[in-house]
Amino acid sequence: KQEVTQIPAALSVPEGENLVLNCSFTDSAIYNLQWFRQDPGKGLTSLLLIQSSQREQTSGRLNASLDKSSGRSTLYIAASQPGDSATYLCAVVFSGGYNKLIFGAGTRLAVHP
Amino acid sequence: GAGVSQSPSNKVTEKGKDVELRCDPISGHTALYWYRQRLGQGLEFLIYFQGNSAPDKSGLPSDRFSAERTGESVSTLTIQRTQQEDSAVYLCASSFKVRETQYFGPGTRLLVL
């Protein structure tokens, strides 16, 4: 079964810390992996998309890496800020004719001043 | 429009009634997806449309659920004879092409009493 797992489920850090969110997936045959952020009561905001041929993508203070062979991706957030507090979701499009995103359960991040 | 829009934003209905949810994708996006997020659970794929191809309905939970899309424009998700377990946030997403970044709408929060 194609599944996506995120660790940790929740994380609380002081402002200014660099942090890493982890995502693992059960099948290395993927098209791409996408990281989202979800704020309470709101929809999803796309942060980064990594194609299967890429190793990493960067946007501002965010850096996402992809290691297909080990079935892992990490989202690195530099110099965290209270405004980064949200739930971060990892989602994968697996190969095999499927175009849907399979989501992890998310990591709830709280950055306190 | 600038982003994906959904209506209504909130819907309260009685068990057994039919409901219709609407999604307006980003103009020019050929792919459209519906997902569901029940309280405390992850996002589940429901259905996917790509151009004039047959939709991928593999995620629809029962035959009470159906969806339509006219060309590359608006989509409607219909739930017949609603049940309490249908209560969830229904999210729509679109992408320019299949397997590209998916952009999500704000969702429709459905409560079945």
Side-chain angles (χ1 to χ4, degrees), chain A residues 31-32 34 38 99-101, chain B residues 35 37 48 98-99 101:
Chain A
Y31 283 120
N32 60 50
Q34 199 165 351
Q38 184 173 33
N99 300 312
K100 60 193 177 189
L101 284 168
Chain B
Y35 296 86
Q37 187 172 32
Y48 149 76
V98 67
R99 298 182 210 125
T101 299

Side-chain angles (χ1 to χ4, degrees), chain A residues 31-32 34 36 38 40-46 48-49 51 89 93 97-105, chain B residues 33 35 37 41-45 48 50 56 58-59 89 91 98-107 109:
Chain A
Y31 283 120
N32 60 50
Q34 199 165 351
F36 294 89
Q38 184 173 33
K42 297 187 179 178
L44 278 65
T45 301
S46 177
L48 290 164
L49 179 142
Q51 300 291 354
L89 297 166
V93 176
Y98 299 105
N99 300 312
K100 60 193 177 189
L101 284 168
I102 304 295
F103 281 85
Chain B
Y33 312 78
Y35 296 86
Q37 187 172 32
Q41 299 187 23
L43 277 88
E44 310 168 71
F45 166 80
Y48 149 76
Q50 169 62 38
D56 174 2
S58 61
V89 177
L91 291 158
V98 67
R99 298 182 210 125
E100 293 192 355
T101 299
Q102 293 187 28
Y103 296 91
F104 280 74
R109 190 173 302 273

